[in-house]
Amino acid sequence: MRLLYLHQHFSTPEGATATRSFAMAGALAARGHQVTLACGQYAGAVTGLAGPFRRGRREGAVAGFRVVEFAIPCGNVQGAAARSRAFLRYAARATTLALAGRFDLVLASSTPLSVVLPALAARRLRRLPFVYEMRDPWPELPRAMGVGGPALWRAMSRVADAACRESRAVIALSEGMAETARARGARQVAVLPNGCDLALFGPGIRPWRPPGIPPEALLAVYAGAHGPANGLFQLLEAAALLRDRRLLILLVGEGAERPRLMAAARLLPNLRFLDPMPKPRLAALLAASQIGLHCLAPVPAFAEWTAPNKLMDCMAAGLPTVSNAGGRAARLLEADPLGPCGIAVPPGDPAALAAALDGLAADPDRRAALGRAGRAQAEQRWDRRLLAERFCAVLEAAA
């Protein structure tokens, strides 16, 4: 199979962002498929390519597959207008590639939703089948957050309807997203959640702590975007309420809210900010930490429409995790048959966050038990190699 894999935010593990597309493209290549992955320049990503861009693109082999990188910068620190322009520029360049190349199947992996436009063009102009990977439900999430307006939501809804109805299959990252895809007319839907790299995140990783952190400090780590959807001001409020002076909250990453967060936290001695870091360095930081953190804004729609890889990374690292998300995330932490591996607190309740952190700080035996259960759940349910086999099977059937 000759596959065109469209993912604007692609990164290898040397970058500081998600690596799902790297793992899945590598698994497809290992099964003998010819994979071309087209991406842009996402902030924090490392594509594995070097050398100059020619006519706005460069390409080369990465981990057994071909990567085509367009010179289109994009990132969370950009404003909405700049990101929208980047999304549309990528869609235009990817459409040219899809129409000109010799492919048997297109995989359009959102976010953003605009990534399906090249797949729809190839479907209608060349009868080229495609699979739509729904990482976020559009426009449901923007509408739930009040981002955009009715005209934009209607336009996005039409694109999302077409993506679900015209695709051979939809890959959804959660059951909530799968229900959304079916409601939009998808015929074949496979739920393939985010997984974790058990070799990268694990108990055998050599621990690393940033300079200047006291050896007796108990570290609670949040690693991810610092945007409105993440609701990180709740962590600042929780830090102000902590009773255990050994606890230190680390916020790793970047995003539009980071300058405001840093200004608001300047008087909090138990909270620090770290720049985005490559996945191996993050794995070493988690190995030196005691608690993982997962935080979202208190938006009810997030309960079943999110599939956070942060939870999976913390489980793989053997860390107990505190989350303020309800729904699926809460079930993974507290209601799994393998046993609880973390604590879920009510959304929008910084006092409950602080109480959960204080409780874990005072109980090392409970931290250890929750961490073991999390690692066991990661090994049995979220090993990315197992999920990649199912991912490949969906695409092979669609082709």
Side-chain angles (χ1 to χ4, degrees):
M1 172 175 62
R2 294 165 298 187
L3 173 71
L4 175 59
Y5 195 145
L6 303 176
H7 184 215
Q8 187 166 353
H9 301 339
F10 166 77
S11 180
T12 70
E14 295 306 311
T17 188
T19 58
R20 177 183 173 99
S21 56
F22 172 83
M24 299 307 172
L28 287 159
R31 290 165 77 111
H33 300 299
Q34 299 177 32
V35 180
T36 296
L37 191 147
C39 65
Q41 293 178 288
Y42 190 57
V46 174
T47 65
L49 299 182
F53 287 88
R54 293 183 174 86
R55 296 183 178 178
R57 63 180 272 180
R58 61 184 177 184
E59 64 180 84
V62 175
F65 54 93
R66 175 189 176 210
V67 173
V68 176
E69 180 183 1
F70 298 117
I72 303 173
C74 184
N76 290 327
V77 298
Q78 291 177 317
R83 286 201 307 276
S84 297
R85 287 193 295 270
F87 296 159
L88 294 176
R89 287 179 60 206
Y90 172 84
R93 295 299 302 268
T95 297
T96 300
L97 179 62
L99 296 179
R102 297 181 60 190
F103 303 107
D104 302 309
L105 182 73
V106 176
L107 170 63
S109 181
S110 74
T111 189
L113 178 62
S114 51
V115 77
V116 306
L117 296 175
L120 287 168
R123 166 76 176 84
R124 296 174 180 182
L125 297 178
R126 294 188 55 194
R127 297 186 180 276
L128 191 62
F130 74 94
V131 171
Y132 171 37
E133 182 177 40
M134 183 188 292
R135 297 188 181 215
D136 293 297
W138 298 80
E140 287 80 4
L141 276 187
R143 186 164 50 210
M145 295 181 62
V147 176
L152 176 62
W153 300 334
R154 284 194 297 270
M156 295 172 71
S157 187
R158 287 195 291 270
V159 174
D161 284 345
C164 291
R165 291 172 182 167
E166 298 187 33
S167 62
R168 287 276 178 90
V170 174
I171 295 174
L173 267 64
S174 73
E175 287 290 353
M177 294 185 212
E179 292 177 8
T180 299
R182 294 187 187 101
R184 291 190 176 279
R187 293 167 292 172
Q188 298 289 332
V189 181
V191 179
L192 292 173
N194 273 318
C196 51
D197 187 332
L198 295 177
L200 180 59
F201 295 92
I205 303 301
R206 184 177 180 181
W208 169 83
R209 287 191 168 204
I213 291 181
E216 69 275 10
L218 303 178
L219 302 184
V221 178
Y222 168 89
H226 292 37
N230 308 106
L232 298 185
F233 282 97
Q234 297 169 90
L235 292 182
L236 272 61
E237 294 181 53
L241 298 172
L242 289 174
R243 296 171 180 261
D244 196 318
R245 295 185 178 181
R246 298 172 300 164
L247 271 170
L248 179 60
I249 295 177
L250 300 181
L251 301 185
V252 184
E254 65 177 4
E257 293 283 286
R258 194 180 193 219
R260 291 180 59 229
L261 288 164
M262 295 181 73
R266 64 186 184 278
L267 298 180
L268 292 174
N270 57 354
L271 189 144
R272 298 190 188 182
F273 292 84
L274 297 176
D275 290 336
M277 58 185 67
K279 290 292 185 180
R281 175 52 61 92
L282 175 61
L285 175 61
L286 294 183
S289 303
Q290 285 67 48
I291 302 170
L293 282 169
H294 172 240
C295 187
L296 285 172
V299 177
F302 286 165
E304 302 299 337
W305 282 344
T306 58
N309 60 306
K310 305 175 189 66
L311 286 183
M312 308 307 179
D313 291 346
C314 289
M315 288 182 189
L319 284 181
T321 303
V322 176
S323 172
N324 70 345
R328 180 174 180 269
R331 293 193 297 273
L332 292 178
L333 292 177
E334 295 190 332
D336 191 87
L338 294 174
C341 60
I343 300 173
V345 302
D349 191 341
L353 266 174
L357 290 169
D358 276 324
L360 286 177
D363 194 342
D365 291 338
R366 188 185 184 199
R367 293 201 306 269
L370 293 173
R372 287 192 297 269
R375 177 69 186 188
Q377 188 181 146
E379 291 174 347
Q380 296 190 33
R381 304 204 201 296
W382 314 122
D383 185 344
R384 188 170 277 169
R385 293 168 296 186
L386 301 177
L387 296 172
E389 290 182 12
R390 294 167 55 198
F391 187 94
C392 293
V394 171
L395 294 181
E396 289 162 355

